[in-house]
Amino acid sequence: MIRWLQKLYYPIQAGHYRLEKHSIGLTLAIIFAAMIGGFVEIAPLFTIDETVEEAPDMRLYTPLEQAGRDIYIREGCYACHSQMIRTLVDEVDRYGAYSLAVESKYDHPMLWGSKRTGPDLARLGGKYSDDWHVAHLIDPRAVVPESVMPHYAFLAQRRLETESLPARLAALGKVGVPYDAAMIENAERDARGQANPDSDDAGGVAERYGEATQIRPFDGDTARLTEMDALVAYLQILGKLTDAASRIETAAIEADMEAAQ
Amino acid sequence: MIAKFTVAERQWSLVLLVLTALAGLAMAALGAGDAMGVHGFIVLIVSLGLIFVVGGGLFAPEPTEDRRRAYYDDPIKLGLVLAMVWAVIGMGVGDWVAWMLAYPEARFDAAWSSFGRVRPVHTTGVIFGFGGNALIATSMHVMQRTSRARMAGQVSPWFVIIGYNLFVVMAVSGYLMGVTQSKEYAEAEWYADIWLVIVWVTYFVLYIRTLARRNEPHIYVANWYYLAFILVVAVLHIINNLAMPASLTAAKSYSLFSGVQDAMTQWWYGHNAVAFFLTAGFLGMLYYYLPKRANRPIYSYRLSILSFWGITFFYIWVGSHHLHYTALPHWVQTLGMTFSVMLLVPSWASAGNALMTLNGAWHKVRDDATLRFMFVAAVFYGLSTFEGSFLAIRPVNSLSHYTDWTVAHVHAGAMGWVALITFGAIYAAVPMIWRRETMYSWKLVEWHFWLALAGTMIYVFAMWNSGIVQGLMWRTYNEAGTLQYSFVDTLVAMHPYYIARAIGGLLFLTGAVVGSYNIWMTIREVGHEAKARDVPTDSEAGEPAVPVAE
Amino acid sequence: MSVKKRDPLTGHQTTGHEWNGITELNTRVPRVIWWFILVTHLYALIAWVLLPAWPGITGYTKGILGIDQQERVERQVADLRAARAPWRDRIAAATVENIRADPDLSAKVAETGPALFGDNCAACHGAQGQGGPGYPSLVDDAWLWGGDAEAVLETLRVGINADHPDTRFAQMLSFDGILSRDEIRTVAAYVQSLSGMETGADPDRLAEGQVLFMDNCASCHGDAATGNTDLGAPNLTDDHWIYGGDDAAIFTTILRGREGWMPAWEGRLDLADRKILAAYIQDLKGQAQ
Ligand code: HEM
Ligand code: HEM
Ligand SMILES: [Ca+2]
Ligand SMILES: [Ca+2]
Ligand SMILES: [Cu+2]
């Protein structure tokens, strides 16, 4: 066996011996050897249908939520928080149904994370109140004394920049998120309306993004549209873009109960 | 330094600088009110400063022709100095960040100083600032010496080093302003990414042209690795950074890929940033400075071939081990896991090759801290690749992922391998490049060594402990079959380890500061070497033997 | 022309080439490496046969074990649920009193409660259920919706002012524009006096406050200001405060109104979990006293 391996290696050595005399040859060989793996692993993710589950009820981030997502990225929350519940019992027990690929289908980029200094946030939406989020972001240790999370009090003061929202939605449209022309055109109004249920702008949000859209003064103040509004709106939608995951879980429990009978 | 440029080269540089100044001006004007505008100003100021420098020497006499018969080391000096500057910045910020995790109020009451914004300053500062400059500078040194040829060009090496550092400055200053794509190790925004592509292509052309000039029939191992580093990093960088800017006059962009495809592309990049930046490049460094310093032949040429192609081929497959148990399809995870295990062979083959090369030079390892840096680095390289392959096994990863165990592994590799080999190589290179007889103080090198080793050990052991404790706490079930600890319980358990880590980091940082001082004093105080001049000459030995015959 | 030398130390031959002073030995690849390759590649081959591994264009090899990580965790979760079912079913069926009376079940509550409470409730109600500004203490005897277990369980199920269709609804009106600021200060002083606080207000002012209270507040908080558990209106005569009992806090409460949000847990925690929590709150209370 070993002899056989050694024999196999001779032509490789001899080939290399010739190759190392030609810089361009070496260059091409390196590129070739190094590209195979990436191609085999990435290309099929676009062609194998079952990679991303079907979820007809999947909805889009509203402009306010997307603005919040951009703030989440800007502040580097992903450095401490994952948004990916792995297929492990303890994670399902602690955080809820494991995450599905479809749930981050519109996430450019994904924010699955690689470190949990803080807890996973994939199913955070609805777990706490807006007020709690505001208080927590302003001073995490006021509500959780053991916390090591940074404070973000300035978010409540800073006006949300909405002028670039149409361009941002349009860019997302170009990379494949199905925002339509009306959504792009009304992005600024929708952002304002979602944080101010009493305003005229609120109606359009539900119309364009569905009745289930949360329309509330997220930072508690309808008079001003702040970065806090956007971030909290985003945190409150995490895990709620589609019901696909809980449907799978319910189906599994039912199947299990049937089997038990 | 301008005096060595030909008049044509000076004019060329001016044209280039005026172009970048204009680009900077355009960015500053159009991107006003956005972080891009700030970056425009930085580009503009740097370009104007350099125009000043080049303009000042514009009318100096033409250099003599005999410069062609010497190696061109001036840009390397800049690269090495910048590497040490970034080492102190990057590790200083790393230690700050470490204290922040123990004492979250150890920061300024300003948005830019929050953990999430500062952490990537650390990772980019050490990997790209410190590691990148060291790689580029040493590669320029190694390629000339092992090709017995002067670098192909005098303008392009400066462009590569200065342009590259401009990229790093744009990246880290961007994070502090909240400009990030959130893709780990590729956080810089689209215009900085494009700029890096330009710099990198120039680097490749410079490298390949220098190799083409070589007076050696064969290309030395170190160059295979440097070449792989340059090529693969280019491909990874371009593909992972594909993005759609929201506006051409602002920084924000959205990744071309989303969800699961984005995750795979990101970690295909992320892992191979480790492989081809933090491993292949530094193996190139090791393959030159270690045998040179030990004055021993490489243990086995044939083993070099095996490990080189093994590393080049296998590494690319393993990125999916960062996504075990996630929504990434199971089949990709199996590939990532199995290739990671197979990858251990070439990894250990190269670590073994380095250690066996020291056979017959162990007394030097004992006496010479510079060589000892490289020896310990090779040991840590072996250790962290073993750990990596172990962590890539799914059940192990189920425990380690998301915890400080990953951070322990990262720093066993990053401090123990990457930083130590770099310090060793720099201590070996500085006297060669500045033509000094020795370093200013061998005692300080000794001090640096022990500080670095102690710092690494404390850091890594603290994080192993905290990672494993945290991972176990997360999954501990009590007798009732329910979770034993809440998340906050685990947070409290981390606190002492975070303090220990920050102290270890402080030792490591102190070492880097001591090293910088030593290098500075070497440049300033130590007398010039009287030995024979180090110049390109024709190869004395001919063809190496075909490997099959012994 | 190559100058092959033998390395005196190892006895191996060099390849005969030299790069800037560096030479290389032509040593064979050590046998151990081949063994190493053999073992690791065998491991990989076996894994590829057993597990999902190689992709095609529209599918991938499923592996002969037929393992899929999602099905696998679903089975594990089901097993875990089945293992817990004997006692959890009993908890789900029992009343909170019975749970606490049963030593076996209360042991389970003691084991399960801390992490469950820590991961879901402590963020608002504090690690020991002690409450905090805006979040009621769960270990005192002051209950907005009544302290019996049924009421607590219902609160946990539907939340307060939450997004559950049956959610409890509780709103402290904003009296901005209804009462003048002076009147608000007056009624606030009266409210403070109810819990025996020293307010410094003279009896006339308190009497005036009482009138204001009867007109505006008693409909919810009751004539005696002892609260109304149907409306979630707190008792104002005890010294437990959600938002604080100092002048400023009470003034703000009356001026701006309050509408606390307690999330609904039905979608997140099953009945057994909610009962465990209801029982665990009682444990916490015992510890607090
Ligand atoms: C003074 C020495 C150092 C200290 C105190 C330090 C500290 C830290 C800290 C606190 C983190 C964040 C970990 C977390 O989020 O929990 C980190 C991450 C990181 N550091 Fe360092 N570091 C040091 C040296 C280095 C060096 C020399 C390198 C590379 C050459 C490096 C590369 C990294 C990388 C790649 C990460 C990201 C790890 C991940 O995402 O898993 N560090 N470091
Ligand atoms: C055989 C070689 C190696 C293998 C198979 C390997 C494998 C791994 C694995 C499994 C992880 C954890 C992924 C996760 O759970 O999130 C990881 C993380 C990491 N490794 Fe390695 N590793 C190897 C060598 C190295 C070396 C030499 C370095 C040098 C610095 C290094 C740097 C890193 C970094 C920076 C990360 C953190 C990535 C992140 O999450 O941000 N690795 N590696
Ligand atoms: Ca990471
Ligand atoms: Ca980038
Ligand atoms: Cu990796």
Side-chain angles (χ1 to χ4, degrees), chain B residues 71 145-148 216-221 224 287-289 291-292 295-304 306 314 317 323-335 337-339 341-342 344-345 348-349 356 359-361 393-394 477-489 534 539-550, chain C residues 1-4 6-30 32-48 50-56 59-61 67-70 72 80 83-84 87-88 107-120 122 127 273 276:
Chain B
Y71 291 123
R145 298 309 188 281
T146 58
S147 302
R148 297 181 202 274
E216 296 281 357
H218 286 248
I219 299 173
Y220 179 58
V221 201
W224 315 343
Y287 264 108
Y288 181 77
Y289 295 99
K292 195 87 184 143
N295 199 14
R296 291 285 305 150
I298 294 289
Y299 168 69
S300 167
Y301 167 59
R302 304 186 197 189
L303 203 52
S304 305
L306 183 130
F314 286 114
W317 292 80
L323 298 166
H324 280 333
Y325 297 94
T326 67
L328 180 77
H330 198 152
W331 62 264
V332 204
Q333 301 178 23
T334 307
L335 290 182
M337 171 173 84
T338 48
F339 274 89
V341 171
M342 294 189 283
L344 187 56
V345 180
W348 269 17
M356 297 293 273
N359 262 346
I393 299 172
R394 272 178 30 113
Y477 276 88
N478 52 35
E479 277 170 28
T482 54
L483 293 171
Q484 174 75 28
Y485 299 104
S486 69
F487 189 89
V488 170
D489 291 338
D534 171 28
S539 168
E540 289 138 32
E543 288 279 293
V546 186
V548 288
E550 181 163 342
Chain C
M1 179 239 13
S2 60
V3 195
K4 274 178 236 150
R6 218 163 255 288
D7 174 40
L9 255 153
T10 53
H12 291 296
Q13 241 176 13
T14 70
T15 58
H17 195 71
E18 180 252 301
W19 283 272
N20 194 231
I22 301 173
T23 54
E24 291 175 311
L25 299 180
N26 206 3
T27 321
R28 276 169 192 277
V29 174
V32 56
I33 296 277
W34 299 116
W35 279 109
F36 203 7
I37 291 183
L38 208 66
V39 172
T40 52
H41 285 55
L42 244 124
Y43 162 81
L45 274 171
I46 294 171
W48 295 339
L50 297 181
L51 301 168
W54 285 92
Y60 53 87
T61 60
I67 291 180
D68 169 86
Q69 59 169 6
Q70 302 192 333
R72 201 178 140 134
L80 186 68
R84 296 191 293 219
W87 60 269
R88 286 177 76 88
K108 301 291 191 245
V109 169
E111 277 181 80
T112 306
L116 198 58
F117 190 84
D119 274 339
N120 295 292
D273 275 341
I276 291 171

Side-chain angles (χ1 to χ4, degrees), chain A residues 79 114-115 117, chain B residues 91 94-95 97-98 101 115 119 122-123 126-127 130 184-185 404 406-407 410-411 414-415 418-419 459 501 505 508-509:
Chain A
S114 68
K115 177 77 214 299
T117 303
Chain B
M91 293 171 201
D95 203 45
V97 161
L101 285 183
F115 180 86
R119 186 189 196 266
H122 162 60
T123 53
V126 286
I127 297 178
F130 167 59
E184 272 187 86
Y185 317 122
D404 285 321
T406 306
V407 177
V410 170
H411 288 85
M415 295 161 89
V418 170
Y459 190 121
R501 180 252 303 266
F508 200 87
L509 172 67

Side-chain angles (χ1 to χ4, degrees), chain B residues 167 181 183 185-190 193 237 240-241:
Chain B
F167 163 79
Q181 286 177 314
K183 294 191 144 216
Y185 317 122
E187 292 96 340
E189 269 291 359
W190 61 275
D193 287 340
H237 172 78
N240 188 44
N241 280 304

